[in-house]
Amino acid sequence: AAAPLRVLVDMDGVLADFEGALLRAFACRFPGEPRVELAQRRGFSVREQYHGLRRDLAEKVASIYESPGFFLGLDTIPGAIEAMREMMLMPDTQVFICTSPLRKYEHCVLEKYKWVEKHLGPEFVERIILTRDKTVVSADLLFDDKDSIRGLGSFGIAFRESGRERAANCSFPLLLSPGAEPNPSWEHILFTCCHNKHIELEPPRRRLLSWADDWRAIVESKRRK
Ligand code: T3P
């Protein structure tokens, strides 16, 4: 019998539409401010791109995703729910939702759990892995829209921002590490999202263009022959 395959599926950008909701809420709350349309998004961190547009917009955009109700209100990514249900029923396949909470975890953590229960059901709540470092989780596959999966967060912004943030980072040297596990067991499949579609992957790295793309073939490619 084949060994069971373990698949990690990221949440924001893969199951839940973080970018769409963020842009809509930003435009609604700050109608007079410049914004980054989805076609113009580059780089994983929305905060960093808004900071580049005008320094004070970083705080404004962050205030949107840190607001109560933001994570719970995210729409589903097309095809995601159906794909998760189907994957969950595949023989010899273990499916987990692997998601990182914001550093400001107050609303985000609870709302991620509620979102999973609302859209996928309680059996998937059992399968949530909440971690700021996905490199320590062992699996065969990780579907994630973040182009480089590191450990504890993304740091570009911290260096370019206030001394306070820089100081905060310095007191946690681990924040600067690339992830506690230098050789993660999973193969990262980049899930295409507005902010990563221009990135050219180094072979043999692979993408899933959407849930309409052949995720089943990617899953099957990892099974021991
Ligand atoms: P996930 O690991 O499910 O993709 O950082 C905490 C979560 O919020 C993480 O969830 C990613 C998401 N997020 C973005 O997608 N873009 C951002 O700019 C920020 C700050 C967070």
Side-chain angles (χ1 to χ4, degrees):
L5 201 74
R6 191 174 307 139
V7 182
L8 308 177
V9 183
D10 169 47
M11 207 167 157
D12 294 315
V14 177
L15 301 177
D17 184 13
F18 179 97
E19 294 277 346
L22 184 61
L23 178 60
R24 259 182 282 123
F26 183 87
C28 186
R29 177 133 167 238
F30 302 109
E33 299 291 13
R35 54 182 176 259
V36 181
E37 297 300 331
L38 298 186
Q40 306 309 319
R41 281 279 295 118
R42 298 289 186 281
F44 176 77
S45 170
V46 172
R47 189 186 161 112
E48 192 163 351
Q49 193 171 4
Y50 276 75
H51 184 262
L53 202 57
R54 213 182 65 211
R55 285 184 64 102
D56 64 296
L57 295 176
E59 289 308 316
K60 286 189 161 142
V61 79
S63 76
I64 302 291
Y65 58 70
E66 289 164 0
S67 294
F70 176 77
F71 280 92
L72 183 56
L74 299 186
D75 290 330
T76 57
I77 295 284
I81 303 306
E82 297 81 353
M84 288 297 273
R85 295 232 164 89
E86 185 181 334
M87 204 187 296
M88 190 81 141
L89 293 173
M90 283 178 158
D92 302 311
T93 311
Q94 303 172 346
V95 184
F96 290 89
I97 297 168
C98 188
T99 181
S100 302
L102 293 174
R103 286 211 186 91
K104 287 197 183 168
Y105 54 78
E106 279 79 4
H107 309 294
C108 169
V109 170
L110 183 64
E111 291 184 17
K112 277 177 174 286
Y113 275 76
K114 288 191 167 188
W115 191 97
V116 169
E117 178 151 17
K118 175 179 170 187
H119 293 281
L120 285 159
E123 68 275 26
F124 282 89
V125 176
E126 298 284 315
R127 311 219 135 240
I128 296 174
I129 300 170
L130 206 61
T131 177
R132 297 270 300 170
D133 188 346
K134 298 180 187 182
T135 70
V136 301
V137 183
S138 74
D140 298 284
L141 280 171
L142 166 64
F143 290 101
D144 201 308
D145 66 309
K146 190 172 186 176
D147 52 294
S148 66
I149 311 286
R150 296 173 202 291
L152 311 162
S154 68
F155 314 107
I157 189 75
F159 286 109
R160 254 161 275 171
E161 279 199 315
S162 69
R164 221 174 91 236
E165 234 171 293
R166 197 176 306 136
N169 262 349
C170 288
S171 63
F172 297 103
L174 263 180
L175 288 178
L176 302 173
S177 83
E181 174 50 61
N183 284 111
S185 55
W186 33 254
E187 180 192 358
H188 172 208
I189 306 296
L190 186 67
F191 191 90
T192 299
C193 187
C194 58
H195 62 75
N196 71 30
K197 61 181 180 288
H198 307 86
I199 297 172
E200 211 177 309
L201 293 183
E202 297 278 358
R205 291 187 64 189
R206 300 193 274 174
R207 269 183 191 270
L208 187 67
L209 298 171
S210 73
W211 285 111
D213 193 3
D214 202 354
W215 60 268
R216 295 171 195 86
I218 292 176
V219 170
E220 294 314 317
S221 73
K222 303 305 283 187
R223 294 202 195 271
R224 246 184 254 154
K225 307 283 157 19

